[in-house]
Amino acid sequence: MSVKFENLSFRKLKISDYCEFRKLFYSCFKKKLSFEFYKWRYFSDKFSFCYGAFEKYKLIANVGMVSIPKSKNSNDIIYSRHSSMVLKKYRGIGI
């Protein structure tokens, strides 16, 4: 299968991407996600984040990472993948 990514853009999500994130989350997991949870999980600390793949303005894939302090006495951080999702239509093509 030939994969073309020239129509896709990749970037860090913003709080204003919530509606697209919510649609993708529901499509993949069949669960509703509140705006409060979205803000808390990905924007409440400066180290947690989400990256998305967009086709035009539609979010088609996402990976979310949350930061976890390694210990109380260290500035080291461990990242844990909190969520990853790809619309069914785009799965298996290397996004």
Side-chain angles (χ1 to χ4, degrees):
M1 176 189 292
S2 176
V3 179
K4 294 186 178 182
F5 294 116
E6 64 244 12
N7 294 329
L8 299 181
S9 61
F10 304 89
R11 67 170 172 80
K12 189 174 180 180
L13 267 63
K14 301 177 238 175
I15 289 181
S16 60
D17 291 312
Y18 167 69
C19 288
E20 284 297 314
F21 186 91
R22 182 185 65 197
K23 287 183 222 173
L24 178 61
F25 193 89
Y26 187 81
S27 177
C28 292
F29 302 119
K30 302 298 183 231
K31 292 185 179 184
K32 293 182 179 181
L33 183 87
S34 72
F35 181 63
E36 289 74 26
F37 181 82
Y38 175 71
K39 282 192 319 184
W40 170 76
R41 175 52 74 195
Y42 301 111
F43 300 97
S44 64
D45 85 53
K46 65 181 178 180
F47 299 110
S48 298
F49 57 89
C50 286
Y51 271 91
F54 291 81
E55 183 176 60
K56 296 185 182 175
Y57 297 102
K58 182 178 182 177
L59 181 63
I60 62 165
N62 178 79
V63 62
M65 305 294 281
V66 294
S67 65
I68 302 167
K70 190 173 176 182
S71 70
K72 291 180 183 180
N73 301 327
S74 171
N75 289 331
D76 293 337
I77 296 172
I78 298 169
Y79 285 94
S80 173
R81 184 186 62 188
H82 181 264
S83 60
S84 60
M85 49 195 166
V86 179
L87 280 178
K88 194 174 237 181
K89 174 182 172 183
Y90 298 92
R91 293 179 190 164
I93 61 171
I95 294 178

